[in-house]
Amino acid sequence: MWLVQHVDGALVAVGPDGWPVEADPDAPDLDIVPGWRPVVGGVRHIGGTAHEPTSGSTAEMLCGRLFTLPRRRQRTSPLLFDCSACWHVWLGID
């Protein structure tokens, strides 16, 4: 998936099938983001890596939050909403 910016400034994410996926900066939708998207405290973030790091290591999300992966697999926390800061960094919005 990659981003294309139109002349009018609108950002469009193009999926692996070649068709555009609309990306609204004001409505985070991390389902279209490829890669590792961990849920931390009910908030889904975009991981700084494509794959989940090894257990016990610390990973930084795109928004800057640090998350230490537990050594043992734990129950996943429920997804309440997507991180808007990660979404804006992924879209390239300052």
Side-chain angles (χ1 to χ4, degrees):
M1 184 174 311
W2 61 93
L3 289 175
V4 177
Q5 185 168 14
H6 290 278
V7 177
D8 62 356
L11 289 171
V12 177
V14 178
D17 58 358
W19 289 95
V21 178
E22 294 297 323
D24 182 9
D26 296 326
D29 181 17
L30 300 190
D31 291 329
I32 65 171
V33 178
W36 182 52
R37 298 180 311 268
V39 177
V40 182
V43 181
R44 183 167 54 172
H45 294 272
I46 301 172
T49 61
H51 303 288
E52 183 175 348
T54 59
S55 62
S57 63
T58 301
E60 184 177 4
M61 307 299 116
L62 289 185
C63 64
R65 179 178 179 147
L66 296 176
F67 172 62
T68 302
L69 280 81
R71 294 208 180 270
R72 281 196 245 158
R73 190 69 69 183
Q74 294 180 341
R75 218 173 25 160
T76 58
S77 59
L79 171 64
L80 301 177
F81 56 91
D82 292 331
C83 177
S84 60
C86 285
W87 178 247
H88 285 161
V89 170
W90 187 74
L91 289 177
I93 299 172
D94 290 333

